[in-house]
Amino acid sequence: MYNLHIATIAIIAANILVSLRGFSDSSFFERYKFSIGGIKAGQQERTITSGFLHVDISHLFFNMFTLYFFANVVINGFGASKFVIIYFISLLGGSLLALFFHKNEPFYSAVGASGAVTGILYAAILLNPGMQLGIMFIPIPLPAYVLGIAYLLYSIYGMKSRLGNIGHSAHFGGAIGGYAITLLFKPELFVTDTWIVVLLAVPIVILFILEKMGKL
C-alpha cells in the first residue's frame, strides 16, 4: 500500500513546492489563496491554486500524510488518471461550497489541500468501506464509513458554530466531490454497497436541509 504511485508523488511534490513558495513570499501567498473578494473580482484560478498553499509545515504535513495513506486505495480501484480527476474535482468542490456558504463575506479566505484530500478519503471509503481506521483517543479501530459519516457531521457542527480556524465547508465540499465522482465512475456501488452509499449520503442531505432552513 505504501509504494507511492508517480501520480501521488507529483501531487505531493506540487503541494510542497507551492507551499514552500507561499511560506517565503507573502505576496505570492496572498495572490493565490482562496479569497471571496479576489474570486468575485475575476480571479477564479484561486479556487484551484489555494488548494496547493498551506498555512505552515504542520498543515502541509497533515494533509499530505492523509493523502499518502488513502491515495493507493483509489488508484488501485480506478487507476491513476481517475485518481487525479477525483483529486481535482474534490479540490474544486471544496472551493465552490466554501464560495456558496461565504459568498457574502468578502474578507473570508482559506488555503489547504483538505478539500481534495477529504474527497480522496471519501472515495477510498466507498471503494473499501470495510477498512478499519484508528484515530486518537479511541483505543479500537472503527469501520471507515463510520468515521467518514462522523467526520462530515462534525464538519456540519463546525460550519454552524464557526468552530476553530478551519475551512469546514471546503472539507465538506471535497467529500461531496469525492462521493459523487466515485459513484459516477463506479455506479455498480449503488447495487453492491447500497447501504454504504445511502449512509454516506446522510450528512450531505442533512447539510442541504439545514441550509434550506437557514440554520447554517
Side-chain angles (χ1 to χ4, degrees), residues 17-29 53-55:
L17 291 173
V18 175
S19 292
L20 289 176
R21 171 72 185 274
F23 296 158
S24 62
D25 186 342
S26 60
S27 62
F28 178 85
F29 184 91
L53 289 166
H54 290 82
V55 173

Side-chain angles (χ1 to χ4, degrees), residues 177-208:
Y179 177 84
I181 300 302
T182 298
L183 292 175
L184 179 66
F185 286 157
K186 197 170 184 179
E188 60 266 32
L189 289 172
F190 283 108
V191 177
T192 60
D193 292 280
T194 306
W195 280 111
I196 296 298
V197 171
V198 171
L199 286 172
L200 290 175
V202 168
I204 298 171
V205 173
I206 291 173
L207 176 76
F208 286 101

Side-chain angles (χ1 to χ4, degrees), residues 90 94 114-116 118-120 122-123 151-152 170-180 204:
S90 299
S114 300
T118 304
I120 294 298
Y122 234 60
Y151 181 72
L152 287 198
H171 296 181
F172 208 110
I176 293 173
Y179 177 84
I204 298 171

Side-chain angles (χ1 to χ4, degrees), residues 25-206:
D25 186 342
S26 60
S27 62
F28 178 85
F29 184 91
E30 292 296 322
R31 172 60 183 83
Y32 292 107
K33 72 180 183 180
F34 180 92
S35 163
I36 296 293
I39 292 169
K40 285 189 171 182
Q43 297 169 351
Q44 284 84 8
E45 69 276 5
R46 290 175 182 262
T47 59
I48 298 296
T49 57
S50 59
F52 291 89
L53 289 166
H54 290 82
V55 173
D56 52 33
I57 289 290
S58 62
H59 185 209
L60 171 64
F61 174 80
F62 181 78
N63 277 332
M64 296 303 99
F65 189 63
T66 305
L67 180 65
Y68 165 79
F69 272 110
F70 295 103
N72 274 1
V73 177
V74 180
I75 291 173
N76 291 338
F78 285 134
S81 59
K82 288 183 178 179
F83 161 76
V84 172
I85 291 171
I86 292 171
Y87 185 91
F88 278 95
I89 291 294
S90 299
L91 194 167
L92 183 60
S95 291
L96 291 178
L97 197 69
L99 182 60
F100 175 78
F101 277 103
H102 299 284
K103 57 183 176 292
N104 296 320
E105 303 171 45
F107 297 106
Y108 179 87
S109 63
V111 293
S114 300
V117 172
T118 304
I120 294 298
L121 170 62
Y122 234 60
I125 291 172
L126 276 169
L127 291 171
N128 189 3
M131 64 180 170
Q132 301 288 303
L133 299 179
I135 59 175
M136 292 176 64
F137 309 119
I138 298 180
I140 58 173
L142 296 172
Y145 69 88
V146 172
L147 293 180
I149 292 167
Y151 181 72
L152 287 198
L153 292 175
Y154 169 76
S155 293
I156 292 174
Y157 172 73
M159 292 167 67
K160 185 175 175 61
S161 61
R162 298 299 180 97
L163 184 66
N165 188 27
I166 300 171
H168 295 287
S169 54
H171 296 181
F172 208 110
I176 293 173
Y179 177 84
I181 300 302
T182 298
L183 292 175
L184 179 66
F185 286 157
K186 197 170 184 179
E188 60 266 32
L189 289 172
F190 283 108
V191 177
T192 60
D193 292 280
T194 306
W195 280 111
I196 296 298
V197 171
V198 171
L199 286 172
L200 290 175
V202 168
I204 298 171
V205 173
I206 291 173

